Amino acid sequence: MSTVAVTRFIEAHAVDVWRLLTDLPGRAARLTAAGPIEVLTPGPFGPGTAWREERAQPGGGTLTEEFLVVETLAPHRLVLCSSGAGVDYRITWSLRPVRRRRRGCTAVTVTQEAVPTAPYGRVVALLLGGLAARAVEVALRRDLADLAVAAGATGSVEAA
């Protein structure tokens, strides 16, 4: 299993950051790497909500991914899962209110865990693990930067 975690301070209240994270119709407009989004389940956002989105890849091209909400604890924790070729991914967004410069701020940590589910997934993880982890870190940092822009904030980035 490989894990990548990145934290960014966003100068917005956790409830506002949560609103941005859970607004699927606005997701493609906020995230530079996200393309069209297709919501696959009806109803309000919560456990069981699923969607499909295209994601721009660093080397060019796109990848279509499906996400499923596994757990929500508004406005503090959002857990998603996504299946890949021989690997299952668990993406956890943690929002922690903090005080910075006497203003409300949110420390947002996004963690992606990759768990091989097939023998070839384990082989790929061994061969490309470090390269894949760096690519994931770049993508997570980009999503956090986009979230900060959407929140109207600038924040510092810290690797977790």
Side-chain angles (χ1 to χ4, degrees), residues 11-47:
E11 293 192 23
H13 293 283
V15 69
D16 296 322
V17 176
W18 179 263
R19 193 173 303 117
L20 291 169
L21 277 177
T22 59
D23 172 25
L24 294 180
R27 187 173 170 87
R30 274 190 310 284
L31 300 178
T32 55
I37 297 193
E38 176 188 2
V39 178
L40 303 173
T41 53
F45 188 93

Side-chain angles (χ1 to χ4, degrees), residues 31 35 47 59 65 69 97-98 103-106 140 143 160:
L31 300 178
E65 293 185 284
V69 176
V98 295
R103 294 177 20 200
C105 185
T106 303
L140 296 178
D143 285 355

Side-chain angles (χ1 to χ4, degrees), residues 36-145:
I37 297 193
E38 176 188 2
V39 178
L40 303 173
T41 53
F45 188 93
T49 298
W51 72 93
R52 180 180 299 130
E53 70 182 55
E54 290 183 14
R55 300 282 295 183
Q57 298 301 292
T62 60
L63 173 68
T64 301
E65 293 185 284
E66 286 189 16
F67 295 95
L68 174 67
V69 176
V70 177
E71 176 187 337
T72 60
L73 178 59
H76 305 288
R77 182 176 163 89
L78 171 62
V79 181
L80 310 172
C81 68
S82 178
S83 294
V87 179
D88 283 343
Y89 299 98
R90 183 177 178 94
I91 303 104
T92 302
W93 293 81
S94 300
L95 286 69
R96 184 176 47 88
V98 295
R99 301 280 302 164
R100 286 182 50 150
R101 295 182 222 127
R102 297 185 181 177
R103 294 177 20 200
C105 185
T106 303
V108 181
T109 300
V110 59
T111 305
Q112 179 175 301
E113 299 170 276
V115 180
T117 58
Y120 64 88
R122 290 178 181 85
V123 171
V124 171
L126 286 173
L127 296 174
L128 301 175
L131 180 61
R134 284 188 292 281
V136 167
E137 182 179 348
V138 167
L140 296 178
R141 286 181 185 276
R142 182 181 52 219
D143 285 355
L144 283 171

